[in-house]
Structure formats: C-alpha cells, structure tokens
Amino acid sequence: METTPYYFYDLDLLQETLEDIQLNTNGRNFHVHYAIKANNNHKILETIAKRGFGADCVSGWEIESAIDAGFAPSSIVFAGVGKTDAELEIALSYGIGMIHCESLEEIFVLNEMAESMNCRPKIALRLNPDVNALTHQKISTGLSENKFGLTVEEFGELVTRLDELNHVDIVGLHFHIGSQITQMSVFEELCVRIQEIVPQYEKTIGQLEYLNVGGGLGVNYDQPDEDLIADFKGYFDTFYNGLNGMNVPIHFELGRSVVAQCGSLHTKVLYVKRSAQKNFAILDAGMTELMRPALYAAIHKIEKLTATAGPHLEKDYDIVGPICESSDSFGENITLPELMRGDILTIRSCGAYAESMSLRYNGREAVGSNLRKKVATQLRTAIA
Ligand code: LLP
C-alpha cells in the first residue's frame, strides 16, 4: 500500500467521462478546452490531451505543462486578469490559439509585444454578462462587482482606438460566470444574455469567429456515486438550444466536471481522541492537501476504506487534519464505522481543485515530489 496521504486517480472513470463529453458534443460546432487549473497532474493532462481536447490555461507554467503533455498549441486558450509580460511572451512564442483579454491596458501591451515579436495573435474580449451563478460567493465571477472582464467603459474606449491595434485580431468574446453551478437555468440565462450582447459587439468588432462560454458545470459532492459523470447532456443541450441560430464555433472551458469525481484523497487516521462531547479523528491529510473545506466550507464525502474489525459500530467524528489552524477540518459530526489508529479513509471528489491547490504550509511535502509520485492508476478497488 502507498504511504498516505496520496491522491488516487481512477483513469478509467476519467476516460468514461471524456467519452461522455465527446458523445454530447459530436456533430455540433462545440470545442472543449480542459481547464488545467482544476488539476495539472501530468498523467491526467496526457490522458485528456490524447483524446483530442484543447486546454484552458491561466499561467505561462500551465501553457508549458499543456504543451509538454501533448495539447496542440493551436488548441490552447489563455485567460487571466493579470497576465505578466513574461507569460504573454510565452503565449506568443508558442503561437497558442486564443488569448482572452480582460483590460484595455492588457490589449495594448499585447499589441506592442506582438509587434516586436513580429506576430499577430487572435484575441477574444472577456465580458462580464452580469449573471448570478447561484453558487458560492467566492467562486462566482460573472457579476458586475467581480474583477473579471473588460468593463463597459473600457470597451467604449477600445472602440475609439481600434485603428491603433495593428498587431492583434479581435475575433471573439469570452464569458465565464462561476464554478460549481448546478442549476441549468443559470446557463440558460447566460445564453439569453449572450444572445443580447453579441449583436451589439458585432456592430463594432465585426462578425465573431469565436465564442467561449467558459466552464462552471457542477458535480455531486454529497453523493458522488449517484453522479460519477456530470450531466453533460443537460449542459451541452442547454447551450445548443440557447445559442441556436448563432453561426459561430462555441468553445467551453470545463475543469471540475471533467476530473472531480475521478480523484480521491487517501489518508490515514493518525489518532482518535475522545472528549465528553466529541470524538476527533486526526488524519495525516489536512487543508494542505485539500483546501476546499477550509476556504469555502465545502463538504466532501468521507468513507472508511479499511475493513471494520469486530462489531460494526457507528460513531460521530469531527474529522480534522494535522495543520495548526482550527479551519483545518473536513467536517463535524460525520457518522462513520468506528475508527482506529491506522484506518484508511477516502475523501471523495478530490480530482478537481485539490492537488492543484495544495500548499506547503507547516512544512508539508511539496506536491511534485512525494505526493505526485503516488498517483495510482487502475486501483479502484485495491485498498477496499
Ligand atoms: N474558465 C475560467 C475563466 C475560470 O475562471 C474557471 C474556473 C474555469 C474556466 C473552470 O471552471 P470549472 O469548470 O472548473 O467550474 N477553487 C475553486 C474553483 C475556482 C474556479 C476558478 N475558475 C473550488 O475549489 O471550488
């Protein structure tokens, strides 16, 4: 058995998920770019690249990792509200497919850089459609109060200065309203807004060649086994119907829904501590390996993997990590078969935003050294 904690990835499930996405996009002018920020593990990137998906990157490092894993540069889109000059240079030198710009200054910096590098990138303007994603406030991005997207004022100025932009081609629009969206009505509303916005923008920037509607499809964290594969049919049908009549390729940037359910965090119970009020199970994984509960009060399903010896008692536990922070907790009063030192637990739905958000706080081992080597494949039942 591997030394815990480690991330366990079920690559069969990942393949099934990718197949389902392809099934629901085939025959439509839909192009899916995997949002690498959800999980940049090399094996995962390679698997997704091999099936012909594009990549959505938010840093120079992500662009290089995508290319290293086999994504075609032309299939890479680059987003981010604060791209550095060095990162823009990386994007230009690889000739990636599209750069999503979020401020007027960024567009002019890019134009200047493209002139000096003698190239002509395609760019899409990220707009803020002011749609409420009905998700956690910290992962909502499409409201006018959020920092994302070109403001209306900046677009107004851009229109008056278009003739200064001789080294970029503005060919499209980009939207992303938030993450872990579980209500299709939110995507329906996004489509309605896009149908309103596009004709206004086409008046000034010309007919669109590219429309990117972002990512955001949510997954079932409460009962992962009921929805191991997210509702891609509902999601893609919503955009197919909602954007019907728009004669433009539609691009998507899905992260969480592609990888969340194929990953788990396997961790060992170090100690069980009892008080008059509570039982604590103290794990060897903490917020350093899975930050979502501490950051967003996210709940991930926890299961015991080791067989229970003796009578199958159930008890309530506060499941906590070893980090010196009270927020280092995975949940209170979780009912589990009785736990003992050495038991192995699995924290489910950790394929997205777990390994890629891991930290070295408290002198924890760096991801990329020990933990990353422990990526297990084809082990769905090995520990149970
Ligand atoms: N496109 C853009 C511009 C984004 O900002 C994001 C996610 C995505 C695509 C992918 O969204 P997805 O399909 O994964 O929902 N750390 C948080 C999630 C932050 C999402 C940030 N942006 C969490 O653990 O819930």
Side-chain angles (χ1 to χ4, degrees):
M1 192 191 299
E2 306 278 357
T3 314
T4 52
Y6 61 92
Y7 302 100
F8 166 88
Y9 296 116
D10 179 343
L11 296 183
D12 288 342
L13 178 58
L14 177 59
Q15 293 283 8
E16 285 167 38
T17 306
L18 298 172
E19 263 169 41
D20 197 63
I21 295 174
Q22 287 178 324
L23 188 76
N24 286 292
T25 49
N26 280 347
R28 297 172 171 179
N29 202 354
F30 282 1
H31 307 270
V32 179
H33 306 261
Y34 166 61
I36 286 189
K37 65 170 83 68
N39 191 325
N40 54 49
N41 181 289
H42 186 72
K43 184 83 193 162
I44 296 222
L45 295 188
E46 259 183 2
T47 307
I48 298 173
K50 267 201 192 112
R51 291 197 76 111
F53 286 80
D56 161 37
C57 299
V58 286
S59 67
W61 185 88
E62 282 193 357
I63 294 175
E64 286 177 334
S65 305
I67 288 171
D68 192 38
F71 287 95
S74 60
S75 77
I76 295 177
V77 302
F78 182 28
V81 71
K83 305 176 191 78
T84 65
D85 293 10
E87 289 174 323
L88 289 173
E89 204 174 309
I90 290 174
L92 293 181
S93 60
Y94 282 112
I96 67 162
M98 191 68 59
I99 303 180
H100 299 157
C101 293
E102 304 208 22
S103 68
L104 196 60
E105 271 193 330
E106 182 191 345
I107 298 170
F108 279 92
V109 165
L110 192 58
N111 187 57
E112 216 170 278
M113 218 179 250
E115 180 166 12
S116 68
M117 290 175 72
N118 200 21
C119 57
R120 198 180 173 89
K122 291 191 174 206
I123 70 174
L125 307 176
R126 177 165 180 181
L127 301 180
N128 199 324
D130 205 16
V131 171
N132 188 344
L134 303 177
T135 183
H136 192 285
Q137 181 207 345
K138 289 204 162 60
I139 50 175
S140 177
T141 49
L143 288 171
S144 52
E145 70 212 41
N146 296 125
K147 69 179 174 184
F148 301 98
L150 202 68
T151 62
V152 177
E153 295 77 5
E154 290 212 324
F155 181 74
E157 188 178 337
L158 175 71
V159 170
T160 64
R161 297 178 60 189
L162 281 176
D163 55 349
E164 294 172 46
L165 293 170
N166 296 322
H167 282 83
V168 295
D169 282 326
I170 305 177
V171 297
L173 296 178
H174 171 229
F175 302 86
H176 172 78
I177 54 174
S179 199
Q180 185 53 18
I181 296 169
T182 51
Q183 299 181 41
M184 291 300 165
S185 60
V186 170
F187 296 119
E188 279 164 21
E189 194 185 333
L190 174 61
C191 290
V192 171
R193 286 290 294 138
I194 289 175
Q195 294 273 18
E196 287 164 8
I197 290 170
V198 165
Q200 297 166 19
Y201 279 78
E202 283 189 326
K203 274 187 216 145
T204 42
I205 58 173
Q207 202 187 344
L208 297 191
E209 280 175 32
Y210 173 96
L211 176 64
N212 188 315
V213 298
L217 177 62
V219 303
N220 189 341
Y221 282 100
D222 299 331
Q223 298 299 337
D225 289 320
E226 283 180 15
D227 298 299
L228 282 176
I229 296 182
D231 182 12
F232 293 112
K233 179 169 173 27
Y235 176 77
F236 288 114
D237 282 355
T238 300
F239 283 97
Y240 188 73
N241 297 327
L243 299 179
N244 196 10
M246 293 193 65
N247 190 17
V248 55
I250 314 282
H251 294 253
F252 299 84
E253 300 168 341
L254 292 171
R256 185 190 316 267
S257 54
V258 182
V259 287
Q261 302 297 27
C262 81
S264 310
L265 176 59
H266 288 181
T267 168
K268 189 160 58 195
V269 177
L270 292 176
Y271 304 104
V272 179
K273 187 158 84 173
R274 297 172 183 88
S275 76
Q277 297 83 29
K278 276 180 183 296
N279 299 307
F280 290 98
I282 302 158
L283 309 183
D284 64 358
M287 61 194 285
T288 38
E289 286 71 42
L290 174 62
M291 212 210 286
R292 305 191 67 258
L295 205 54
Y296 320 113
I299 308 278
H300 286 245
K301 187 164 192 194
I302 302 175
E303 293 166 334
K304 183 178 170 184
L305 281 179
T306 29
T308 303
H312 288 228
L313 289 178
E314 288 204 325
K315 288 195 170 169
D316 290 345
Y317 294 93
D318 282 16
I319 309 280
V320 300
I323 306 302
C324 307
E325 298 274 342
S326 295
S327 56
D328 183 30
S329 167
F330 295 122
E332 293 178 9
N333 293 316
I334 311 275
T335 306
L336 286 174
E338 189 169 15
L339 296 177
M340 290 187 316
R341 171 172 164 79
D343 273 332
I344 306 289
L345 302 185
T346 175
I347 307 183
R348 301 288 306 275
S349 314
C350 279
Y353 303 115
E355 182 170 1
S356 63
M357 288 175 74
S358 61
L359 302 171
R360 298 199 60 193
Y361 181 44
N362 274 211
R364 306 283 284 175
E365 279 175 289
V367 167
S369 59
N370 193 27
L371 288 175
R372 196 169 291 202
K373 286 189 199 127
K374 298 193 178 357
V375 171
T377 58
Q378 318 280 334
L379 285 175
R380 208 185 287 208
T381 53
I383 293 184

